[in-house]
Amino acid sequence: MKGILFTFALLSPIIGGLIYGLERKFKARMQNRQGPPILQPFYDFFKLTDKRALQVHSFHSLMGIAFFVAAWFAVFALLIGPNILIAIFLHVLALLFFTAGGFSVKSPYSVMGALRELAHILAAEPILVFAAIALYLSTGSWNIEGILTSNTVPILQMPLLFCALVLTVPILLKRSPFDISEAHQEIIGGAEIEYSGLFYEAVYTAKWLEYIFIGVIVFLFGGSNYLLGALLVAATFLFVWLLDNATTRLTIHYMMKFAWGILLPLAAFNIFWVAIWR
Amino acid sequence: MFGFFKKFRKKSPWILHYNTGSCNGCDIEIMACLGPKYDLERFGIINKGNPKQADILLVTGPVTKRARARLLRLYMQMPEPKVVVAVGACACTGGVFRHMYNVENGIDRFIPVDVYIPGCAARPENIIEGIKKAIEIWERKQKEKVEVPKVLKEIPDVETLDRREIISKLEEKYSERLVIEEDEK
Amino acid sequence: MIAAEILASILLPWISALVIYVLNNHRVSVFLTVLNFVILTIIGLHLWFSVNNPITLHPPHLVDWLLLVYDYGLLLYFFKQGIENRNPLVSVLAVIQIFLLSWVVLIRPHSEVPNIYIDKLTVFMYLIVGFVGSLITLFATRYMQDENPVREGEFVAILVWFLGVMNFIVSVNNIEWFFALFETTTLASYLLIRFRGDTVSVNNALLALWMNQIGGITILLALLFAIHKYGITHFSQFGEHTQLALFPLAFLSAAALVKGAQMPFHRWLLGAMVAPTPVSAILHSATMVKVAPYLILRLSPFIKGTLLAKLIVVFTGFVFVVTALLALNETHFKRILAYSTISLLSLMMLAGTIGTPITITVALMLIAFHAVAKALLFLEAGVLEKRYHAKTIYDLKHIINKAPLTVFFILVGFLSMTMVPFAMFVAKWLMISEMSELLSKASYIITVAILAIGGAILTVLYLKILGLTINRDEESFRVKIEKLPSLYTIPNVIYVVLILIATLFINTFLVYFFAPITQSIIGYIPPFCEGLSVCIKNLQLPFWQIIIAFFFVVFFPIIAHYIHFKTDRTAEYSCGEPVKPRISTYNMVCLNKVSTYFESISLALFVLVLVIGGGML
């Protein structure tokens, strides 16, 4: 088990890239387009390696690299570390570098993107913490191996929380209707705008790791039933891609109201109910 | 080593589209190319909207006096290797606006253009063909060779370039006189 | 020997304060504050190793009478201040206090219970006061040179005296003495807040005065009731009664809530920022507000699991989230720090009230590292104010171009309160885990939500401010590290080093420092394991994760200052426009509408704590 998880963590940028490629393909098919090849993210990756790097200043570029390294480390901590709660906070640490990079340049779009990224953290982080607590509540373990080998299936106890988590995925992955911090037509990528060449490559790859991070958390809701877990992940991503195609961007206020007014109570209610019901 | 990476250029050209004063006809055609019917994304093409991450600069329209400094600035902010495609008659020569008081004719007066796409407005098929040509030219380019606007006479010969100096030098010469409040402390 | 050491740690600050006040000489002040720092820390450490069982002392009866006389004098002084400053509220409250105190004196039984009670918790507070507080007084000597050299002696003397009062208040067992010293801390904060003497300062000082007087009144009421019903006059006697009415405990807790500036009474702590910055530093970190979690920890074994504890948990939990939210709307740097102090104080009290071994440990960790982090941040606020004239967060824009070292210190201070792997994060993580553990037993279910939400808000708050400071357009290696007076830098460097060491060796601190204190409070030790990784029951934070996260958080900013990538440089993207952008940040102005509701709800909850928690229904 440990070996598989370690290999998975090691390969996570590649798998994340494949998921991103799949996403672009699926979204194109949903729009009745042919779409790019599935390996397209890797083509982009290789092309970016061969570009001349421009930078605003070295601090900013380093933060991009730190974002990638820290995001990968968060995935490692999630997959082989003994505590998923720590992994969630390490993920916030990775986002800290991303926002620090965004804040560090005198570019309006970048700073605006970083500020909106903070709103994303504010909206999504409590729900992720709730998800970890829910997993602990139903399986009695903070450890990924413990969750994967427990007898219970967390989603059966936590259906509402799972719904909340699925609706948080667009907030984490910055997909429509909550692609507020990226907002390509509005602030041109937000905090990632000033990166270029190799440095953009780091940020680009770090974003693939987010798929792995959220995917694993969704997978854990299948408990020891891996087939169910895989189905949940597939269903979640397909739903998010459909949602991305079908909706338009909402405002930051709406996102906060939605996350705090609907998702959080939903998740909290589920956890409290399970706690009291026992 | 870099030969390996070079192979992937043609699979992932990212576009920056800039309108220097066009009538929007060509812009609509470019948008049509990216839409479901012509679907440029199947070649890996995305409209990035950000010069720092773009490879191909699609310029539409004649260069107006207000736009020329911005065009130079955007061009300088693109990392090498890069190609420029002039889309439509106006971008190539000035088109029907040629020699008007506010127009500087085609964009090749300011920046080196690799591909000219004719037409008023340029047809999507033409644009796709032009981009294909542009990719072919792009594949032959080197990232070590710095490309600067035509209007810049001396090409700086340093390993790492401070592009802000070049940009500010160009802007001094080519920007329209605007009153800009310096409100930064 | 131990008795002498205890006497020294209480009396040394009083004596050195007197000397500083009389001589009013910069060199003498520096010498004496350094001496205080060294001696208090050494005594604290020595006591730490020697006090394994609680030590009791019987001071002579004369002290009792002296304190009583002093108390009347103090209350008369408050009365006089109320008259002089035309604030009838202060005078009325002082009269009520005099009346209640006289009643207590009339009915109090003769008791042979020791008046001084020293256990590990007391020594822990000594260490915080001696280590963190003395460094602030050292900083204050230089600060006053910049502000008002003539009054330096007076200012530093009050600060140093404050340390002595604080050391005294954590040692007493007698509730009447506790009241006297409680009011003395009120007096000290009153004098410090009105130090600048302008109208705003005086008004805020009077605000702090009457709010804290309410705390004094609740202590007196609790004492009256305890004497009347049970004959209790000392803290240690609470344990002797099994069937204890909650009334005295509720009123003592209320005093803690007032002292800890919880929500309806938060304005006095916000108002305190008009004073010179070392005042805020000392109020927020080592003294004054730390009386609140201290008192809660003292009472925690008696209130654990009662209705009162649950009400306090709800109240502090509410304040924790709400003050963190309100801080998002603030623009003044020191006000933001004040709000986050209130928020974290409520977290400490929440943890202390729940009273399981782990939550008590969490409360202790929060007290210790919050003291260090807040002292660091307030001293930096002082530096920013004096050297860079930055007061609001908008003044902090691009400050990294002028002061990279200061920004690094602020970064460590902020991140140490929220981010992996710093000690306070470990505390919050332990807290969430422990609450989940309790949740699976269906108790304290709401706290999990409070912790998750409040933690996220505080994270965003700190990142928002850090974001403004690091905004720049020049390469960092061109920026020279700023030269500051050594008395400004030394305390901060010591704090930062302490924070970093505690982060790396957090488990060592947990096992050998915090766990024994927990044992002395509730009698048994939380089962932490040896080694460098934090592990307890089924929780684990392995050392490799700590060290890698540490590398990220601490070394990346340092590397970022020196690294220089040899690539082309370009300007920021601005759609091709040559306009220089003006960078700013957002405030949650929408919170203005609801802040009054927040205050009303918290007032209602406070009344509930008193009425229902005190068993008056």
Side-chain angles (χ1 to χ4, degrees):
Chain A
M1 176 78 104
K2 221 168 187 117
I4 297 172
L5 288 176
F6 186 80
T7 328
F8 188 73
L10 213 56
L11 295 179
S12 53
I14 297 174
I15 300 166
L18 280 177
I19 298 177
Y20 181 48
L22 266 177
E23 169 178 4
R24 282 175 70 174
K25 191 82 187 168
F26 264 92
K27 281 204 301 213
R29 295 307 299 154
M30 284 172 190
Q31 295 167 4
N32 208 5
R33 287 191 286 124
Q34 193 184 339
I38 289 172
L39 291 179
Q40 183 61 41
F42 299 100
Y43 300 155
D44 297 344
F45 181 88
F46 289 134
K47 179 209 68 178
L48 283 169
T49 316
D50 197 25
K51 291 282 282 184
R52 195 182 172 95
L54 301 180
Q55 62 170 356
V56 178
H57 49 67
S58 302
F59 181 94
H60 175 250
S61 312
L62 187 76
M63 285 300 123
I65 295 167
F67 174 41
F68 170 68
V69 180
W72 202 356
F73 180 60
V75 171
F76 260 98
L78 180 65
L79 285 168
I80 61 171
N83 197 308
I84 52 173
L85 203 54
I86 294 283
I88 286 168
F89 289 112
L90 281 170
H91 180 245
V92 179
L93 178 67
L95 291 178
L96 158 78
F97 288 121
F98 186 49
T99 47
F103 277 126
S104 71
V105 287
K106 274 188 184 171
S107 157
Y109 297 117
S110 183
V111 172
M112 205 184 283
L115 280 170
R116 291 179 179 196
E117 184 68 43
L118 290 185
H120 278 250
I121 295 176
L122 199 54
E125 197 209 328
I127 296 171
L128 280 186
V129 174
F130 274 153
I133 292 167
L135 287 171
Y136 174 72
L137 206 57
S138 54
T139 61
S141 171
W142 290 109
N143 189 334
I144 186 162
E145 282 176 61
I147 295 168
L148 287 178
T149 51
S150 73
N151 301 321
T152 50
V153 180
I155 189 174
L156 296 182
Q157 289 184 19
M158 308 281 176
L160 291 179
L161 186 133
F162 186 78
C163 290
L165 183 68
V166 169
L167 289 170
T168 318
V169 176
I171 302 181
L172 277 168
L173 295 180
K174 288 143 217 159
R175 291 283 171 264
S176 191
F178 302 119
D179 58 342
I180 298 163
S181 84
E182 212 161 78
H184 252 287
Q185 302 80 1
E186 188 187 346
I187 53 172
I188 323 163
E192 62 177 56
I193 183 175
E194 299 295 339
Y195 295 99
S196 102
L198 273 170
F199 308 116
Y200 181 61
E201 195 171 325
V203 178
Y204 193 57
T205 322
K207 276 160 53 187
W208 305 347
L209 290 168
E210 306 257 312
Y211 288 97
I212 302 293
F213 191 84
I214 189 70
V216 169
I217 292 179
V218 170
F219 182 81
L220 291 181
F221 275 82
S224 56
N225 193 340
Y226 301 153
L227 188 66
L228 178 65
L231 272 177
L232 286 179
V233 174
T236 305
F237 279 140
L238 277 177
F239 173 72
V240 170
W241 297 338
L242 182 65
L243 202 67
D244 187 21
N245 262 341
T247 52
T248 53
R249 188 176 313 125
L250 297 169
T251 61
I252 201 164
H253 303 278
Y254 191 89
M255 179 175 80
M256 293 308 297
K257 275 181 198 159
F258 182 69
W260 282 46
I262 297 174
L263 298 185
L264 265 183
L266 214 60
F269 172 74
N270 201 161
I271 290 183
F272 296 163
W273 178 262
V274 171
I276 295 169
W277 190 253
R278 301 209 160 155
Chain B
M1 181 67 186
F2 288 106
F4 171 74
F5 291 128
K6 238 179 180 173
K7 273 192 251 167
F8 295 98
R9 275 193 196 164
K10 67 174 172 211
K11 288 179 189 270
S12 139
W14 288 355
I15 282 176
L16 172 68
H17 166 213
Y18 183 50
N19 175 341
T20 51
S22 146
C23 67
N24 275 9
C26 296
D27 306 297
I28 289 168
E29 299 302 330
I30 289 174
M31 286 303 133
C33 292
L34 295 163
K37 178 148 189 199
Y38 295 98
D39 188 23
L40 271 182
E41 204 194 347
R42 70 200 142 113
F43 306 121
I45 295 176
I46 321 175
N47 187 7
K48 258 292 176 192
N50 178 356
K52 304 190 167 187
Q53 293 151 12
D55 309 305
I56 300 179
L57 176 61
L58 294 187
V59 186
T60 56
V63 185
T64 59
K65 282 183 178 158
R66 282 300 276 273
R68 56 190 180 181
R70 281 111 177 124
L71 177 67
L72 295 169
R73 195 183 174 92
L74 287 176
Y75 182 75
M76 276 314 288
Q77 280 183 343
M78 282 176 68
E80 283 81 12
K82 60 191 173 190
V83 280
V84 180
V85 181
V87 181
C90 305
C92 296
T93 62
V96 292
F97 303 106
R98 196 173 165 86
H99 296 319
M100 272 170 71
Y101 69 99
N102 61 339
V103 164
E104 298 265 14
N105 301 344
I107 59 168
D108 55 2
R109 286 189 58 187
F110 293 94
I111 57 178
V113 177
D114 298 285
V115 179
Y116 296 88
I117 300 175
C120 181
R123 293 184 65 80
E125 291 87 348
N126 277 356
I127 294 175
I128 293 173
E129 188 62 27
I131 289 177
K132 204 183 127 215
K133 271 271 172 341
I135 292 171
E136 278 167 20
I137 297 169
W138 180 42
E139 275 186 300
R140 293 197 295 274
K141 290 200 173 181
Q142 307 248 313
K143 75 167 171 179
E144 285 77 21
K145 188 171 173 294
V146 180
E147 291 175 82
V148 291
K150 268 185 181 172
V151 286
L152 199 73
K153 288 295 172 291
E154 75 277 27
I155 295 163
D157 187 31
V158 282
E159 198 184 336
T160 58
L161 208 61
D162 196 340
R163 294 177 183 230
R164 294 172 308 170
E165 288 168 11
I166 301 177
I167 292 171
S168 60
K169 207 185 291 174
L170 287 173
E171 247 160 22
E172 232 166 65
K173 203 168 161 195
Y174 290 103
S175 65
E176 285 280 278
R177 291 280 168 265
L178 284 174
V179 184
I180 296 157
E181 279 178 40
E182 286 290 329
D183 45 13
E184 276 305 288
K185 266 185 206 168
Chain C
M1 178 61 188
I2 289 178
E5 279 179 11
I6 292 165
L7 204 62
S9 60
I10 294 171
L11 285 186
L12 179 70
W14 292 65
I15 296 166
S16 34
L18 195 66
V19 176
I20 290 171
Y21 183 71
V22 172
L23 291 182
N24 196 4
N25 178 313
H26 179 59
R27 280 161 189 271
V28 174
S29 309
V30 173
F31 173 73
L32 279 176
T33 46
V34 172
L35 190 76
N36 260 314
F37 170 64
V38 174
I39 292 184
L40 289 181
T41 311
I42 290 174
I43 289 180
L45 285 174
H46 184 249
L47 281 176
W48 170 259
F49 289 109
S50 36
V51 178
N52 287 320
N53 296 313
I55 290 169
T56 52
L57 293 179
H58 291 270
H61 265 290
L62 181 65
V63 182
D64 206 1
W65 288 110
L66 276 180
L67 262 177
L68 191 63
V69 172
Y70 163 77
D71 217 353
Y72 276 113
L74 182 64
L75 293 176
L76 284 174
Y77 176 74
F78 286 167
F79 181 74
K80 186 166 146 279
Q81 286 300 317
I83 303 274
E84 269 179 13
N85 295 301
R86 298 201 183 121
N87 192 328
L89 191 56
V90 170
S91 304
V92 170
L93 288 171
V95 169
I96 294 174
Q97 276 175 317
I98 292 172
F99 169 70
L100 288 173
L101 184 64
S102 313
W103 194 352
V104 166
V105 173
L106 283 178
I107 68 165
R108 69 173 172 185
H110 181 73
S111 155
E112 279 306 318
V113 184
N115 285 329
I116 300 279
Y117 177 92
I118 314 283
D119 62 355
K120 285 231 152 151
L121 178 60
T122 307
V123 181
F124 167 73
M125 295 304 285
Y126 280 178
L127 271 172
I128 289 180
V129 171
F131 189 88
V132 182
S134 309
L135 283 175
I136 297 172
T137 55
L138 177 62
F139 176 89
T141 56
R142 184 68 184 79
Y143 185 91
M144 285 316 280
Q145 289 288 312
D146 280 356
E147 162 131 355
N148 188 353
V150 182
R151 296 180 73 192
E152 181 195 334
E154 186 189 347
F155 183 73
V156 178
I158 303 175
L159 287 183
V160 174
W161 171 59
F162 208 154
L163 300 183
V165 175
M166 192 64 194
N167 269 348
F168 201 178
I169 197 172
V170 295
S171 324
V172 297
N173 190 21
N174 188 332
I175 301 176
E176 198 191 318
W177 290 24
F178 186 82
F179 164 73
L181 292 161
F182 188 91
E183 289 299 328
T184 314
T185 58
T186 307
L187 169 71
S189 64
Y190 172 72
L191 291 176
L192 286 171
I193 295 170
R194 65 170 293 161
F195 185 78
R196 277 181 178 154
D198 49 283
T199 327
V200 185
S201 302
V202 172
N203 284 342
N204 286 344
L206 287 167
L207 184 73
L209 187 55
W210 72 256
M211 280 193 172
N212 279 296
Q213 275 179 310
I214 292 176
I217 289 176
T218 58
I219 292 180
L220 283 174
L221 285 173
L223 181 60
L224 260 182
F225 187 82
I227 293 175
H228 176 64
K229 277 270 169 163
Y230 307 103
I232 291 177
T233 50
H234 291 71
F235 284 115
S236 59
Q237 286 174 311
F238 280 121
E240 294 161 12
H241 294 260
T242 43
Q243 290 290 318
L244 199 63
L246 286 173
F247 185 86
L249 294 173
F251 273 68
L252 280 176
S253 311
L257 296 176
V258 173
K259 207 61 162 175
Q262 295 302 290
M263 188 71 173
F265 302 101
H266 64 299
R267 289 186 187 279
W268 75 260
L269 194 58
L270 295 177
M273 68 164 203
V274 296
T277 311
V279 174
S280 303
I282 210 152
L283 290 183
H284 287 252
S285 64
T287 63
M288 195 71 178
V289 295
K290 287 294 186 294
V291 173
Y294 164 80
L295 186 54
I296 291 282
L297 282 177
R298 270 267 174 268
L299 301 176
S300 153
F302 317 123
I303 59 176
K304 177 186 170 186
T306 59
L307 183 62
L308 170 64
K310 285 174 185 168
L311 281 166
I312 294 179
V313 165
V314 172
F315 174 65
T316 49
F318 177 77
V319 176
F320 174 52
V321 174
V322 161
T323 42
L325 261 181
L326 289 180
L328 279 174
N329 186 21
E330 289 296 332
T331 54
H332 204 291
F333 189 59
K334 285 205 278 183
R335 269 177 90 89
I336 288 175
L337 291 183
Y339 267 119
S340 94
T341 299
I342 299 167
S343 182
L344 286 166
L345 276 173
S346 41
L347 186 59
M348 288 166 212
M349 287 194 253
L350 190 154
T353 320
I354 289 172
T356 67
I358 292 183
T359 56
I360 295 273
T361 317
V362 166
L364 292 168
M365 284 169 83
L366 287 174
I367 292 177
F369 294 110
H370 175 260
V372 181
K374 270 289 148 59
L376 171 64
L377 283 170
F378 269 109
L379 295 196
E380 285 307 332
V383 173
L384 288 173
E385 212 168 284
K386 280 286 165 249
R387 292 279 139 167
Y388 304 104
H389 311 289
K391 282 188 173 170
T392 66
I393 55 172
Y394 301 117
D395 300 334
L396 292 179
K397 270 189 259 173
H398 327 311
I399 198 132
I400 197 166
N401 284 334
K402 286 183 265 175
L405 192 66
T406 307
V407 169
F408 178 70
F409 287 164
I410 294 177
L411 177 114
V412 171
F414 273 142
L415 293 192
S416 79
M417 286 197 279
T418 174
M419 204 46 89
V420 212
F422 287 104
M424 274 173 88
F425 164 77
V426 174
K428 279 185 195 169
W429 168 68
L430 283 174
M431 186 76 189
I432 294 183
S433 312
E434 176 70 5
M435 285 301 106
S436 316
E437 185 75 36
L438 290 179
L439 182 69
S440 55
K441 296 177 191 127
S443 51
Y444 294 110
I445 49 176
I446 200 125
T447 39
V448 167
I450 288 166
L451 285 166
I453 296 171
I457 300 172
L458 284 178
T459 309
V460 167
L461 170 71
Y462 300 144
L463 293 190
K464 184 183 115 174
I465 303 164
L466 280 180
L468 277 176
T469 63
I470 60 174
N471 194 278
R472 58 153 26 126
D473 59 359
E474 212 20 81
E475 280 287 354
S476 46
F477 73 98
R478 298 219 176 102
V479 179
K480 288 253 162 43
I481 287 181
E482 73 273 29
K483 288 258 184 309
L484 290 174
S486 53
L487 284 183
Y488 277 174
T489 320
I490 289 169
N492 290 327
V493 170
I494 294 175
Y495 291 141
V496 169
V497 168
L498 179 70
I499 289 176
L500 298 186
I501 289 176
T503 305
L504 274 183
F505 302 105
I506 182 64
N507 199 47
T508 320
F509 274 77
L510 272 175
V511 175
Y512 296 107
F513 188 72
F514 292 108
I517 310 169
T518 312
Q519 191 190 23
S520 87
I521 296 173
I522 50 166
Y524 49 94
I525 269 189
F528 290 109
C529 57
E530 301 277 320
L532 290 171
S533 311
V534 182
C535 62
I536 176 166
K537 288 186 263 181
N538 52 4
L539 292 173
Q540 258 191 325
L541 174 55
F543 188 60
W544 63 271
Q545 286 188 359
I546 296 179
I547 222 159
I548 295 178
F550 183 80
F551 175 80
F552 285 159
V553 190
V554 177
F555 286 107
F556 260 123
I558 298 176
I559 297 169
H561 185 74
Y562 294 105
I563 208 163
H564 176 49
F565 293 112
K566 285 222 161 59
T567 60
D568 287 12
R569 295 209 46 210
T570 179
E572 296 84 358
Y573 177 68
S574 55
C575 298
E577 294 292 328
V579 181
K580 276 240 187 288
R582 191 168 55 177
I583 306 297
S584 194
T585 187
Y586 55 39
N587 295 327
M588 298 216 170
V589 191
C590 51
L591 290 168
N592 280 343
K593 277 185 283 182
V594 284
S595 64
T596 45
Y597 294 113
F598 288 161
E599 277 180 44
S600 328
I601 295 172
S602 58
L603 182 62
L605 284 172
F606 182 75
V607 173
L608 277 187
V609 170
L610 279 184
V611 174
I612 299 182
M616 288 200 269
L617 272 180

